[in-house]
Amino acid sequence: MDFAHAPSVSLRPPVRKEYLRLRPPELRDQRGDIERIIGALRRRGYAGEIIAPHAAARSAGLVARAAYKLTVTVVGDHGAWHIIRLEEGDTTGCLYGAAVDVGTTTVVVTLVDLNTGKAVDAASSYNQQIIRCDDVASRISYASDPQRAQELRELVVDGTVNRLLRLLTHRHGLAGDDVAHMTVAGNTVMTHLFCGLSPTGLGAVPFAPISNFPGPYRAGLLNVAINAQAFVDIFPSAAAYVGGDATADMYVCGLARRDELNVLIDIGTNAEIVVGNRDRLIACAAPAGPAFEGHGLSCGMRAAAGAIESFRLGGLSDPPRYTVIGGDKPAGVCGSGLIDFVAQAFAVGVISSAGRFTDRARARCPRIRKLRRNEAEIPAYEIAPAEQTDDGLAPILITERDIATLLQAKGVIYAALQMAMKHFGKGFADIHRFYLAGGFAKHIDPDNAVTMGLLPDIDRGKFTFLGNGSLGGAFLALIDEDVRRELPHLAAAPAVIELNLDPEFMDAYTLAMFLPNGDPSLFPTVKPAK
Amino acid sequence: MDFAHAPSVSLRPPVRKEYLRLRPPELRDQRGDIERIIGALRRRGYAGEIIAPHAAARSAGLVARAAYKLTVTVVGDHGAWHIIRLEEGDTTGCLYGAAVDVGTTTVVVTLVDLNTGKAVDAASSYNQQIIRCDDVASRISYASDPQRAQELRELVVDGTVNRLLRLLTHRHGLAGDDVAHMTVAGNTVMTHLFCGLSPTGLGAVPFAPISNFPGPYRAGLLNVAINAQAFVDIFPSAAAYVGGDATADMYVCGLARRDELNVLIDIGTNAEIVVGNRDRLIACAAPAGPAFEGHGLSCGMRAAAGAIESFRLGGLSDPPRYTVIGGDKPAGVCGSGLIDFVAQAFAVGVISSAGRFTDRARARCPRIRKLRRNEAEIPAYEIAPAEQTDDGLAPILITERDIATLLQAKGVIYAALQMAMKHFGKGFADIHRFYLAGGFAKHIDPDNAVTMGLLPDIDRGKFTFLGNGSLGGAFLALIDEDVRRELPHLAAAPAVIELNLDPEFMDAYTLAMFLPNGDPSLFPTVKPAK
């Protein structure tokens, strides 16, 4: 998580612990246990409503057992203080939170020590919903049946987030109850499924969510394996396809606080784009599909151990050079490797502007092979022969169909960027900084991304890598209550444009499916292979 | 319910319904269903936080099914508005609440139409906890085992209140969900058991409650058979034995708003006493026991059909005259009849100042009979011979032990009144009004209650009957949110004195067990029989 561009935050978590030594009751002082606790919190400066939920009231019996020395966990929410836990003795040293990025494909949980504000550990895995369907569109369709919606909810909450939470708490000798707050950033569909809200309205025009600002929620209601009384803050969305992950990114790059025109793009299964400055923000969503996350391709995989993350070709007939995450034999190619491949293959003339293997390559490049599939022969580029791969059985190949899928994905994103800039009334040259967020963004080689026509042809120094801004935003909201309070305003700030309503979008998209673009004047620094 | 002395209230229930016709979503307007509803409420003038709980968000799918015409039920609580129900179409005409008096012995539920502010119907029954134990002390002891505490909770919530609620809603063709708010007044022990809070601390010095201000609660959490999202407001208590019922009484008689010195007494199993004016309030509890509610006596019963409610003796040897609730043959004697009996029997010389049958009565009163019990003969007064009673088998008798129990009960109450007045620094002569509350108070003959030494010897015109102030307060809090808001302040207002700490109490109590009192100068208008 990189917070170089984030507004400065303080260690001021919405959840706190207070060790209280209460005056025991006597005949002249028949206040209730709860009133004693509230009185002690008042003396510590807690103003406004102080609410003891049922669970705290029920466990108030321990106040006497604890000889009136106890630790109270308190969460501030909307001007009120909620008592969420009572513990015997002084446990103030043990206070944790969990920041969660719920991606369509990948879920990451960070365990945060709220006494120090430091991320103690993190764990990630595929979003287990993926065993049912890959992309958000198919999940919306799957969830049109309420029982299946419930199944998806259980897959992400219990099957993914709770497993990661248990792994982390177990690893650090903590109980689930020791995790006293949670923040969750994800796109609008993920948020709906996570909270048990029907995503059906998100599946078709006019893309109507149940809520862009869901909550407030308690962990028990959502079945999240932390303290049942703890608050779970769901990051608010700007629209159906500009979700809570984009809100988190916006916070982390400070987009809405700067005078200069900046651009933010979160490349997930749907790319979310926000363009603007402190005065005005334009947002849109580009349905790129999961290609850059490694899904739907012959050789794609997520950016994990075994993934080819960078790729280089010296010339048409040279053997490729690549690096593998973890350094072992490759098992597949992740997003950044795919971008590198397309850009390098185009630059040396292996593939044409239309994404086809060139005649020259078919004749002279030893890595172009013919695969026999369904009685037809299809050409493919062999990135690694079988004997060099992780399983030693199958080669890592990229077919023309894979390339076409990647060109579609990058075409949607580039055309969407063009539309957002047009609506803002500025050109790419006016961009001060171009923020790249998303799990795999940090692996991208900007030169190759420009060569491929995914990113605009601007000064490469303007590209700034945010890392996982969604997770970063969730982390910041966990440690600073001011961040948490700002989020609804931030989510409401962008004017969201709908690409389907813009007749120029389809033209721009059609051109953007070429390498680097059907309008080469947009990419003056990119020269096709001679 | 008598509100002649209550502050004027308005029809301004904390729960409301709004029929909304929303703008359907379109591509240019991707707000969520919930945000559409919140926006429409804002335009109706709902300021402050508007919170849609999970259930509302989950049912937001009906917004589309309802073609964006729906009725929203909204509750105001602590400055925020909570959406608790969404219904298709216009259902604003159907909005109900339930006011509940949870007595140790008797539970009453009033169904209130919140569109008119009128009580539509009421139903009452014994508090089913009584099948396990009679008085609060034995219930506290029973509930020291958590499973048994849970059993008592189920007996009062599901076994009593929910049965009465279902009876009322069924009788008026309503669903449980149509009841959108509930107010509950009861003593501190009843409140603890109702909410599932351990009453153990209330059972012994220093009488420590879990909470005197329990909640806020939702019906679903308490398992109350109304709309699960509805708020259930528990009347706050001043202390362990000055409960929410006393808070309700205080509101209904306007005690804390008047310049004059007034006295309030709620005669239940524990008598709650509040003395004071707008400047200062003194409260205490007198553990009278259940005698005046007809428990623990040979012939006692609650003020229900078949109970002798008034009783008159012309002379020592005259036959008694009595009236029976419902007009049929008597089955027993309720509190007011017992007071009448003791007072009249004392006035004509049947019993002595010490509560014993006089020699004269033993010789000349034909109603004094000798019962043979365990080889001993004990004298008893026959109120009705067997052939005149409801079952035709057993006579209705009052023994000397019964009389002693009644004298203990009245002695505790009178001595407690004396202590409260002493702490306030005034005498009985300074009292402007003396409010009598509690289920059976309205049946009391003040002359007899003074003759018995239960109530002080003041101008009889000052005695004012509140009726069931606990139920009345619950009703007012249901229809006027200002009442609801005032209750915590009212409960916190009295200085609670503990009789056990006052060395004069035991002396006063000892004297007060005589008829009318061991210090006859306190009762100048009461003349013993010659």
Side-chain angles (χ1 to χ4, degrees), chain A residues 15 17 93-98 111-116 118 120 169 172 174-182 226 478:
Chain A
V15 62
K17 274 189 169 181
C94 177
L95 181 63
Y96 291 84
L111 180 70
V112 181
D113 181 338
L114 295 176
N115 277 311
T116 62
K118 300 282 180 233
V120 173
T169 50
H172 295 271
L174 301 173
D177 270 352
D178 295 329
V179 181
H181 204 94
M182 185 161 135
I226 63 172
L478 200 57

Side-chain angles (χ1 to χ4, degrees), chain B residues 464-481:
Chain B
T464 306
F465 297 99
L466 273 190
N468 186 340
S470 180
L471 188 64
F475 170 79
L476 295 179
L478 200 57
I479 63 167
D480 187 344
E481 60 184 358

Side-chain angles (χ1 to χ4, degrees), chain A residues 503-524:
Chain A
E504 291 178 33
F505 173 70
M506 196 44 81
D507 294 341
Y509 169 49
T510 307
L511 290 172
M513 276 190 291
F514 288 87
L515 287 168
N517 196 286
D519 176 1
S521 72
L522 293 168
F523 287 84

Side-chain angles (χ1 to χ4, degrees), chain A residues 25-28 30-35 49 51-52 54 57-58 60-61 68 78 150 153 195-197 205-213 215-217 221-222 239-241 498 500-501, chain B residues 25-28 30-35 49 51-52 54 57-58 60-61 68 78 150 153 195-197 205-213 215-217 221-222 239-241 498 500-501:
Chain A
E26 47 182 313
L27 266 180
R28 288 168 207 282
Q30 293 184 17
R31 287 176 302 151
D33 288 354
I34 294 293
E35 285 78 57
E49 204 70 29
I51 296 166
H54 198 52
R58 278 202 171 170
Y68 296 88
H78 291 105
Q150 176 62 18
R153 187 171 120 68
C195 298
L197 307 178
V205 171
F207 309 123
I210 297 295
S211 177
N212 284 321
F213 301 82
Y217 284 117
L221 190 73
L222 293 179
Y241 290 97
E498 195 52 49
N500 296 323
L501 294 179
Chain B
E26 47 182 312
L27 264 181
R28 288 170 207 281
Q30 293 184 15
R31 287 176 302 151
D33 289 353
I34 293 293
E35 285 77 58
E49 205 69 30
I51 297 166
H54 199 53
R58 280 203 169 170
Y68 296 87
H78 291 106
Q150 177 61 19
R153 188 171 118 69
C195 298
L197 307 179
V205 171
F207 308 124
I210 297 295
S211 177
N212 285 321
F213 301 82
Y217 284 118
L221 190 73
L222 293 180
Y241 290 97
E498 195 52 48
N500 296 325
L501 294 179

Side-chain angles (χ1 to χ4, degrees), chain A residues 79-395:
Chain A
W81 293 101
H82 298 264
I83 298 171
I84 65 165
R85 191 183 188 192
L86 306 181
E87 291 170 278
E88 293 185 43
D90 183 352
T91 67
T92 49
C94 177
L95 181 63
Y96 291 84
V100 183
D101 167 35
V102 179
T104 309
T105 305
T106 305
V107 173
V108 192
V109 178
T110 300
L111 180 70
V112 181
D113 181 338
L114 295 176
N115 277 311
T116 62
K118 300 282 180 233
V120 173
D121 201 350
S124 71
S125 78
Y126 272 118
N127 180 337
Q128 290 300 306
Q129 291 175 339
I130 221 161
I131 66 174
R132 287 288 166 266
C133 22
D134 275 1
D135 56 15
V136 293
S138 55
R139 289 193 211 166
I140 293 170
S141 146
Y142 190 81
S144 64
D145 172 84
Q147 270 191 310
R148 290 180 153 191
Q150 176 62 18
E151 183 195 353
L152 291 184
R153 187 171 120 68
E154 284 165 12
L155 282 168
V156 67
V157 174
D158 211 52
T160 312
V161 172
N162 284 352
R163 279 176 53 203
L164 294 172
L165 280 167
R166 287 199 193 95
L167 186 149
L168 289 169
T169 50
H170 185 258
R171 201 185 274 166
H172 295 271
L174 301 173
D177 270 352
D178 295 329
V179 181
H181 204 94
M182 185 161 135
T183 50
V184 180
N187 66 51
T188 312
V189 177
M190 287 307 108
T191 295
H192 273 60
L193 290 172
F194 190 90
C195 298
L197 307 178
S198 166
T200 300
L202 301 168
V205 171
F207 309 123
I210 297 295
S211 177
N212 284 321
F213 301 82
Y217 284 117
R218 300 298 185 98
L221 190 73
L222 293 179
N223 194 30
V224 169
I226 63 172
N227 180 327
Q229 296 297 315
F231 279 73
V232 177
D233 296 333
I234 308 293
F235 268 59
S237 302
Y241 290 97
V242 183
D245 45 358
T247 305
D249 293 330
M250 275 197 278
Y251 190 87
V252 172
C253 71
L255 202 69
R257 293 175 173 238
R258 301 192 204 286
D259 294 323
E260 305 88 4
L261 171 62
N262 289 326
V263 172
L264 161 71
I265 181 166
D266 187 323
I267 308 178
T269 308
N270 278 277
E272 292 155 321
I273 293 163
V274 192
V275 167
N277 54 27
R278 72 166 76 240
D279 297 324
R280 198 154 67 93
L281 295 164
I282 300 283
C284 68
F292 288 123
E293 296 188 84
H295 268 268
L297 302 177
S298 316
C299 61
M301 67 177 288
R302 38 194 286 265
I308 292 176
E309 59 170 342
S310 75
F311 181 96
R312 183 153 294 276
L313 266 183
L316 185 77
S317 51
D318 291 349
R321 283 170 295 150
Y322 53 77
T323 61
V324 177
I325 298 178
D328 285 336
K329 288 183 173 176
V333 190
C334 71
S336 55
L338 293 164
I339 291 169
D340 285 358
F341 169 78
V342 174
Q344 296 273 310
F346 174 63
V348 301
V350 170
I351 56 177
S352 69
S353 177
R356 298 288 178 144
F357 293 117
T358 57
D359 291 342
R360 219 155 49 99
R362 285 169 191 257
R364 290 179 38 206
C365 173
R367 290 298 181 115
I368 305 274
R369 294 178 39 185
K370 291 217 167 95
L371 302 178
R372 181 164 295 277
R373 288 214 183 137
N374 302 329
E375 306 297 315
E377 282 193 334
I378 60 166
Y381 185 95
E382 187 179 71
I383 290 180
E387 63 274 18
Q388 290 174 15
T389 66
D390 183 49
D391 67 2
L393 297 170

